Amino acid sequence: EAGVAQSPRYKIIEKRQSVAFWCNPISGHATLYWYQQILGQGPKLLIQFQNNGVVDDSQLPKDRFSAERLKGVDSTLKIQPAKLEDSAVYLCASSLNRIMNTEAFFGQGTRLTVV
Amino acid sequence: GQQVMQIPQYQHVQEGEDFTTYCNSSTTLSNIQWYKQRPGGHPVFLIQLVKSGEVKKQKRLTFQFGEAKKNSSLHITATQTTDVGTYFCAASLYNFNKFYFGSGTKLNVKP
C-alpha cells in the first residue's frame, strides 16, 4: 500500500514570498489533515478535511494560509505571504475515518525555511 | 484548541532501564492515540485507547487510559537504543476524528 505522498521535501523562501505544498493521501482515505510542526514541538493541526469539505480550520491563520482538497483526494496548502515564524515542517496525514479505526498515516513532510 | 500536557519533556535513560511518559488533560477525553517520531522522521501510529481504564500492551510497551479518561501513560520496559525518538499523545475531546497532539517526550537511550 502506497503511503501519503508530499512534495516538495524541502523549500527555502524569503519572507513575503508565496509557497505551496502538495499532498496525495492514501487511496480511499476520506479524512486528510495538515499539521504544522515547529522544531521541538508537537504537530499543530491547521486544517482537517472530510472528503472535500472542511471539518476544522480553527487554527489556520486564514489571513495568510489557505488549503483546498479538490475532488476529495489531493490537497494543497498555500502560504501567502510567508513570515519568518512559518518556518516549520508541514505534515500531511490521512485516515480512513471509520469509527474505532482512525489511525492517521503521515507523509514525510515538507520542511519550510523562511529567511 | 484543547490543552494536552505531556511530561516529561525529555528523558535520558541507560539502555535496559524503564521509561514512562504521561499525557494529562483537564477535560474528559473521547479517546487517545500514541505516536512515535524518530529523529528526522514523521509520526508513526502506535496505539489507540478508547475505554476508561483500558490497558494495552505491545511487546515491551504498555499503554494505559485513566479511569476518568483524563490521562494516559506509555511505559517502556527495558529500553533499547531502537526506542530513541519522541513520543506524542494525541487526544480527542468529542469525536474520533479531531486529534490534538501533546508537546511530546523526547527519549534518549544510552547504550
Side-chain angles (χ1 to χ4, degrees):
Chain A
E1 176 179 85
V4 176
Q6 286 189 250
S7 68
R9 287 295 310 278
Y10 305 92
K11 191 74 177 178
I12 301 174
I13 61 172
E14 295 182 348
K15 58 183 179 183
R16 291 186 289 273
Q17 285 188 322
S18 302
V19 65
F21 313 127
W22 173 82
C23 173
N24 180 235
I26 292 173
S27 177
H29 281 196
T31 307
L32 185 147
Y33 315 81
W34 282 102
Y35 286 89
Q36 178 194 58
Q37 187 173 25
I38 293 172
L39 186 65
Q41 299 182 17
K44 171 187 169 185
L45 179 66
L46 293 176
I47 190 166
Q48 179 181 339
F49 292 94
Q50 179 70 19
N51 296 308
N52 61 348
V54 175
V55 173
D56 182 5
D57 63 357
S58 57
Q59 298 190 97
L60 186 73
K62 297 180 185 64
D63 58 333
R64 299 183 301 107
F65 286 64
S66 65
E68 60 181 8
R69 190 184 184 194
L70 298 177
K71 300 181 182 179
V73 182
D74 292 6
S75 179
T76 56
L77 176 69
K78 296 180 182 178
I79 307 175
Q80 181 180 9
K83 293 184 176 181
L84 295 177
E85 59 260 35
D86 298 332
S87 294
V89 175
Y90 290 84
L91 294 162
C92 179
S94 69
S95 67
L96 270 172
N97 189 39
R98 291 179 184 172
I99 297 297
M100 304 303 288
N101 184 15
T102 58
E103 172 183 354
F105 295 83
F106 282 81
Q108 295 290 337
T110 296
R111 183 177 297 276
L112 173 67
T113 303
V114 182
V115 299
Chain B
Q2 66 186 77
Q3 287 289 331
V4 177
M5 306 303 294
Q6 214 176 327
I7 56 171
Q9 188 175 4
Y10 301 98
Q11 186 79 56
H12 301 271
V13 301
Q14 199 72 38
E15 189 172 22
E17 292 182 337
D18 292 356
F19 159 77
T20 305
T21 173
Y22 302 90
C23 187
N24 301 303
S25 171
S26 57
T27 55
T28 302
L29 303 172
S30 171
N31 55 84
I32 197 161
Q33 296 179 341
W34 284 93
Y35 290 79
K36 176 183 178 181
Q37 186 172 25
R38 293 183 186 273
H42 57 278
V44 175
F45 176 84
L46 295 175
I47 204 93
Q48 175 168 286
L49 304 171
V50 178
K51 300 176 183 176
S52 168
E54 189 170 14
V55 178
K56 288 188 177 181
K57 293 190 176 184
Q58 289 179 350
K59 297 183 180 179
R60 295 179 294 105
L61 277 60
T62 302
F63 304 85
Q64 291 189 326
F65 203 4
E67 293 290 341
K69 299 184 75 173
K70 289 185 176 182
N71 54 70
S72 180
S73 65
L74 158 58
H75 179 82
I76 302 178
T77 304
T79 55
Q80 299 175 359
T81 54
T82 52
D83 296 325
V84 166
T86 301
Y87 292 84
F88 293 99
C89 62
S92 175
L93 265 183
Y94 301 113
N95 60 51
F96 288 86
N97 295 323
K98 293 184 186 182
F99 285 91
Y100 297 92
F101 279 74
S103 53
T105 297
K106 187 173 182 179
L107 172 65
N108 186 38
V109 180
K110 291 177 284 187

